[in-house]
Amino acid sequence: DAKTTQPNSMESNEEEPVHLPCNHSTISGTDYIHWYRQLPSQGPEYVIHGLTSNVNNRMASLAIAEDRKSSTLILHRATLRDAAVYYCILRDSWETSGSRLTFGEGTQLTVNP
Amino acid sequence: KAGVTQTPRYLIKTRGQQVTLSCSPISGHRSVSWYQQTPGQGLQFLFEYFSETQRNKGNFPGRFSGRQFSNSRSEMNVSTLELGDSALYLCASSVTSGKIQETQYFGPGTRLLVL
């Protein structure tokens, strides 16, 4: 799997937007970009995924650079509940990887009241 | 729908013992994957089961094994426990539509402490 690089930690204030960056310079043309997060004392949970175009869902937005070498997860209004470790994960073909997720170290997001 | 459930939630064992952890996937999900999470190594993939067959395996010694039953429930077993096996063991399930976009749903994990 291609490698991703994320900052170890980021801090935000409640009700402000948060932009979590991820670099993936070796991404291949068919790799999907997935984001998961892990709240304290819980298993990871899916946030969003995309291939080329920007994506929005009820949790967040994903902005993908035109060359796909980086992406940004955007939380539009951070809440205390968004404090978690955020993982940016690249997934290649299902035939080779199946359901496997390769987690990096992720970004620890702290949200201040 | 009920989420992924894992039992037990907490477990204490001693070195040399063996342990069996259980995972019940979301109803209708046919794939179950297991992960180990430690402070030093982070989240690491152990193996994946689909239709009672191991489909994918991570880089762990043979002491770690698993199986899947016809109802998709899965168990993982660790034999001859070592101190380094202390970790949070997470189970994830998915529908397995054969698409890489497929979402993995994680359980709360089983925290194993080896003394």
Side-chain angles (χ1 to χ4, degrees):
Chain A
D1 295 327
K3 184 176 169 55
T4 62
T5 304
Q6 300 177 252
N8 287 336
S9 62
M10 290 187 65
E11 209 166 315
S12 172
N13 295 321
E14 202 174 7
E15 298 190 3
E16 290 184 354
V18 181
H19 291 235
L20 297 164
C22 180
N23 287 318
H24 29 77
S25 58
T26 59
I27 191 171
S28 74
T30 55
D31 284 348
Y32 275 81
I33 302 161
H34 289 244
W35 285 80
Y36 281 74
R37 72 179 185 180
Q38 188 172 19
L39 302 171
S41 302
Q42 293 188 28
E45 64 175 355
Y46 167 81
V47 178
I48 200 168
H49 76 270
L51 181 61
T52 56
S53 305
N54 294 344
V55 185
N56 300 296
N57 65 21
R58 63 174 180 81
M59 289 181 68
S61 295
L62 176 60
I64 302 172
E66 198 167 329
D67 63 7
R68 301 208 331 123
K69 292 184 185 302
S70 66
S71 60
T72 302
L73 178 70
I74 303 166
L75 307 178
H76 295 285
R77 289 185 67 198
T79 68
L80 296 178
R81 194 194 172 277
D82 291 322
V85 178
Y86 287 78
Y87 297 98
C88 170
I89 298 167
L90 300 184
R91 302 187 70 189
D92 52 22
S93 71
W94 187 85
E95 286 72 24
T96 55
S97 301
S99 300
R100 180 180 62 195
L101 297 174
T102 301
F103 289 87
E105 295 183 359
T107 297
Q108 173 70 63
L109 175 66
T110 301
V111 180
N112 300 312
Chain B
K1 266 187 185 177
V4 177
T5 58
Q6 293 188 243
T7 56
R9 293 293 310 279
Y10 303 92
L11 205 49
I12 300 176
K13 291 285 187 178
T14 57
R15 278 181 299 173
Q17 287 187 310
Q18 74 164 14
V19 67
T20 299
L21 312 181
S22 180
C23 171
S24 292
I26 292 172
S27 177
H29 286 195
R30 298 164 64 197
S31 168
V32 173
S33 298
W34 288 89
Y35 293 81
Q36 181 196 66
Q37 185 171 28
T38 60
Q41 300 297 318
L43 270 157
Q44 293 186 289
F45 173 79
L46 279 157
F47 29 64
E48 176 195 359
Y49 285 86
F50 173 72
S51 291
E52 303 178 60
T53 301
Q54 188 181 88
R55 183 165 64 181
N56 218 335
K57 189 177 188 308
N59 190 26
F60 279 82
R63 299 185 298 107
F64 292 82
S65 63
R67 60 176 175 169
Q68 186 180 34
F69 302 95
S70 58
N71 62 358
S72 294
R73 190 177 70 84
S74 176
E75 289 181 346
M76 69 161 282
N77 184 277
V78 187
S79 62
T80 319
L81 283 165
E82 301 177 358
L83 295 179
D85 296 333
S86 295
L88 180 67
Y89 290 88
L90 292 156
C91 163
S93 75
S94 62
V95 173
T96 306
S97 59
K99 297 179 181 177
I100 199 65
Q101 307 94 306
E102 192 172 85
T103 298
Q104 297 294 305
Y105 295 86
F106 284 81
T110 293
R111 187 163 295 281
L112 172 65
L113 177 61
V114 182
L115 302 176

